[in-house]
């Protein structure tokens, strides 16, 4: 995530998007294999959290009504410079607008 928020994340533009990795404190810790069904789900939840980014504070030009249809594409193109995404980013139109994306590998996040 530091690469996205840092200067020069978008070499062809001066636009910057701030991103914050979302690994919530309430995310259950991984449990050793064989620790029961709950352990399996906790491990999966922890893995997904370590690969997920939540982004906000987009430039006004990215979230303007005329450009809002292209926000998902802009975010996807930016993030794919760091690694493969599991699926296209999810956009929340609530105020403030935010996007969530999950990489295929934690190293990319």
């Amino acid at each position: 995530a530091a690469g996205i928020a840092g200067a020069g994340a978008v070499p062809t533009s001066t636009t910057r998007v701030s991103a914050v990795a979302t690994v919530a404190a309430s995310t259950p810790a991984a449990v050793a294999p064989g620790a029961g069904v709950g352990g399996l789900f906790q491990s999966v939840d922890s893995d997904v959290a370590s690969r997920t980014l939540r982004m906000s504070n987009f430039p006004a030009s990215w979230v303007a009504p005329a450009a809002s249809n292209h926000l998902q594409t802009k975010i996807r193109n930016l993030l794919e410079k760091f690694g493969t995404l599991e699926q296209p980013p999810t956009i929340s139109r609530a105020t403030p607008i935010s996007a969530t994306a999950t990489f295929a590998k934690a190293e990319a996040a």
Side-chain angles (χ1 to χ4, degrees):
I4 295 172
V10 184
T12 59
S13 173
T14 58
T15 302
R16 293 189 187 133
V17 177
S18 65
V20 178
T22 55
V23 181
S26 62
T27 301
V31 176
V37 175
L40 172 65
F41 291 115
Q42 289 176 354
S43 294
V44 170
D45 289 344
S46 180
D47 175 59
V48 171
S50 70
R51 298 180 289 118
T52 302
L53 295 177
R54 179 170 296 141
M55 296 149 284
S56 60
N57 299 321
F58 297 104
S61 63
W62 286 31
V63 295
S68 66
N69 292 335
H70 304 289
L71 181 61
Q72 184 183 53
T73 302
K74 286 183 177 195
I75 294 168
R76 184 181 67 233
N77 290 342
L78 174 66
L79 294 179
E80 285 179 339
K81 293 178 182 186
F82 298 94
T84 303
L85 296 174
E86 279 192 351
Q87 60 190 15
T90 303
I91 308 297
S92 170
R93 300 286 177 188
T95 304
I97 293 175
S98 65
T100 304
T102 302
F103 285 95
K105 295 182 179 183
E107 296 80 27

